[in-house]
Amino acid sequence: MQTRRLDPSDAGLATAAEILRDGGRVAFPTETVYGLGADARQEAAVAGIYAAKGRPSFNPLIVHLPDLEAAGQVAEVTPLAERLAGAFWPGALTLVLPLRAGAGISPLVTAGLDTVAIRVPAHPVARALLEAFGGPVAAPSANPSGQVSPTRADHVLQGLDGRIEAVLDGGACPVGVESTIVSLIGDAPRLLRPGGVTLEALEAALGQPVPEGGPAGAQPTAPGQLASHYAPEAAVRLNVTEPGAEEIWLGFGPECAGALLSLSETGDLGEAAAALFHALRAVDALAEGRGIAVAPVPEIGLGRAINDRLRRAAAPRD
């Protein structure tokens, strides 16, 4: 299979939408990372996502939609969901909600659960593709499962060239870490994955604390809940202020003058989030048998999402 690289012109978007209608897979940019999209209603198309990524079949996918009205056709949108949607959609927030009966979503998207993860992206190319296609698009990150997420079209092709039909090249993703995932199943909201919308912003919008994590031992209800994920080939060690002789140092902040690369030399968390996956790919390519040592990143704001991805990148692998 030859993977086509499409520009986000009217012609490129029309071609991408036609590929989706025909059951194919198209990688496209969102404000967070590139997603690997397929028609969420076509069983074979969704199976193609799993096949291209080598993704565990028990790990659900996020359904991307153009607006809240379309979301209501897929999920039971609660008053709490409407409040969060009003505050953060379109944007980097995914909500896990009860699946609407008769929604027509493939069970492969929800991993057989009676809940569904949905998002309305803000990136203009993603929104134009959803409009051109006219249906729900299931899309995890456009990379082999467990590896570093892509924030540029080149990253997509490094992992999936020849395994998918096309990639829409919309340039670098501005946020650079995946969406925040909040479950609205049960009595209170729960943060399942930190991401582009900070915990502080969520709690301010809701006027209440948002505890982290789902029930212990529960099957994943949304992406990004596996212990080992976003992993480069090299071993990763975290919170390092003095790297070893056989380690490449990935810095953060002005105290890391000796680092080979830095997430942000000024200590800006937004800059660090946008650079994270590209920097992990870059140091991994340079490692050549050495490990990767990562400087401490504060556990506040976007730092929660950055540290979440780093901990999963450093986790023991099967």
Side-chain angles (χ1 to χ4, degrees), residues 131-159:
E131 181 178 348
F133 174 58
V137 173
S141 56
N143 57 285
S145 185
Q147 296 185 15
V148 181
S149 298
T151 55
R152 306 179 186 192
D154 286 344
H155 297 165
V156 176
L157 293 171
Q158 286 168 17

Side-chain angles (χ1 to χ4, degrees), residues 249-253 256 259 261-280 294-297 306 310:
W249 196 21
L250 179 58
F252 175 81
C256 301
L261 290 174
S262 179
L263 294 173
S264 171
E265 293 182 358
T266 62
D268 182 281
L269 289 172
E271 181 182 6
L276 176 61
F277 290 132
H278 185 66
L280 281 176
V294 185
V297 177
I306 295 167
L310 288 173

Side-chain angles (χ1 to χ4, degrees), residues 51-267:
K53 285 178 62 69
R55 186 183 179 91
S57 61
F58 56 79
N59 201 11
L61 307 178
I62 294 173
V63 177
H64 292 68
L65 299 155
D67 51 40
L68 183 59
E69 181 180 358
Q73 297 172 12
V74 170
E76 299 286 349
V77 179
T78 64
L80 205 57
E82 289 183 353
R83 190 190 309 180
L84 287 174
F88 300 111
W89 278 359
L93 177 67
T94 293
L95 299 177
V96 177
L97 294 167
L99 179 66
R100 181 175 290 280
I105 299 298
S106 164
L108 288 177
V109 172
T110 63
L113 300 173
D114 58 3
T115 60
V116 63
I118 59 174
R119 174 160 104 86
V120 175
H123 196 290
V125 175
R127 297 185 64 76
L129 176 61
L130 289 168
E131 181 178 348
F133 174 58
V137 173
S141 56
N143 57 285
S145 185
Q147 296 185 15
V148 181
S149 298
T151 55
R152 306 179 186 192
D154 286 344
H155 297 165
V156 176
L157 293 171
Q158 286 168 17
L160 298 179
D161 192 14
R163 299 167 68 177
I164 63 174
E165 284 75 9
V167 56
L168 265 173
D169 189 349
C173 301
V175 175
V177 292
E178 291 86 353
S179 61
T180 299
I181 301 180
V182 174
S183 172
L184 297 179
I185 305 299
D187 297 333
R190 298 190 69 88
L191 178 66
L192 300 183
R193 181 179 74 181
V197 174
T198 66
L199 177 61
E200 293 87 346
L202 285 172
E203 292 181 335
L206 292 174
Q208 67 182 83
V210 179
E212 297 187 48
Q219 179 180 352
T221 56
Q225 295 179 271
L226 300 180
S228 178
H229 207 45
Y230 317 109
E233 293 292 330
V236 178
R237 191 164 67 97
L238 305 182
N239 299 313
V240 178
T241 55
E242 295 184 9
E246 295 301 314
E247 291 180 314
I248 292 180
W249 196 21
L250 179 58
F252 175 81
E255 297 82 8
C256 301
L260 180 65
L261 290 174
S262 179
L263 294 173
S264 171
E265 293 182 358
T266 62

Side-chain angles (χ1 to χ4, degrees), residues 14-36:
T15 298
E18 183 178 1
I19 291 170
L20 292 176
R21 292 189 197 100
D22 289 341
R25 297 150 298 184
V26 176
F28 62 96
T30 75
E31 64 276 22
T32 57
V33 300
Y34 272 72
L36 178 56

